[in-house]
Amino acid sequence: MTQTYSISDLARELDITTRAIRFYEEQNMLSPERRGQERVYSPRDKVILKLILRGKRIGFSLAECRELIELYDPGHGNRKQLETFLDKITQRRAQLTQQLLDIEQMQIELDTAEERCRTALEQTR
């Protein structure tokens, strides 16, 4: 028999809230079975949740996470998924590099503004 998980089991194991799990379910990224009012999650749901959480940690949008998850085809391997993932990693690195450059430029501008303010204050004494 395949192992199943309750929503509280997954929340505890993955250190997220049950509300977050329900949100991903509302976004049609998870599809637990129902036993009466109880949600029953499969090992596949657990893997999907782990992938979503990993994607969010590295800055991927929910849409990007969904795209990567939908590309997985266990019958034909996951080459397309891995290639797409590598492309997204490259794009994310480029974004982060640009953000670092922007931050460095902003720090230079702040230093300049601070220096001007201090000079102006000294002149008013």
Side-chain angles (χ1 to χ4, degrees):
M1 184 173 174
T2 303
Q3 182 176 5
T4 59
Y5 307 90
S6 70
I7 193 168
S8 57
D9 291 338
L10 283 180
R12 187 174 36 259
E13 191 170 330
L14 300 176
D15 196 27
I16 59 175
T17 64
T18 55
R19 185 169 186 245
I21 295 172
R22 285 191 297 274
F23 171 78
Y24 296 128
E25 186 179 339
E26 289 167 8
Q27 298 301 308
N28 296 318
M29 296 184 78
L30 300 173
S31 51
E33 292 181 28
R34 295 280 188 164
R35 289 191 190 139
Q37 293 295 317
E38 184 183 9
R39 293 171 169 87
V40 180
Y41 295 88
S42 68
R44 183 180 193 286
D45 290 319
K46 181 179 173 183
V47 169
I48 288 171
L49 265 174
K50 284 181 173 183
L51 291 172
I52 292 168
L53 296 173
R54 183 178 305 141
K56 297 298 283 176
R57 272 194 312 273
I58 60 177
F60 288 172
S61 68
L62 198 54
E64 289 171 315
C65 292
R66 177 183 286 115
E67 178 186 356
L68 289 168
I69 291 164
E70 288 174 353
L71 285 173
Y72 181 67
D73 183 0
H76 296 94
N78 57 353
R79 182 177 183 83
K80 179 67 175 163
Q81 182 191 41
L82 292 172
E83 289 171 345
T84 302
F85 189 37
L86 284 173
D87 287 343
K88 292 195 176 299
I89 288 171
T90 300
Q91 291 170 16
R92 185 69 182 135
R93 277 190 203 280
Q95 288 173 337
L96 290 172
T97 299
Q98 184 59 54
Q99 285 176 333
L100 278 172
L101 293 172
D102 293 344
I103 289 169
E104 289 170 359
Q105 183 60 42
M106 200 177 298
Q107 287 176 325
I108 290 168
E109 291 176 19
L110 286 170
D111 291 344
T112 302
E114 180 182 31
E115 185 178 325
R116 287 181 181 160
C117 286
R118 292 190 187 285
T119 300
L121 278 174
E122 286 295 320
Q123 292 173 356
T124 61
R125 287 189 179 169

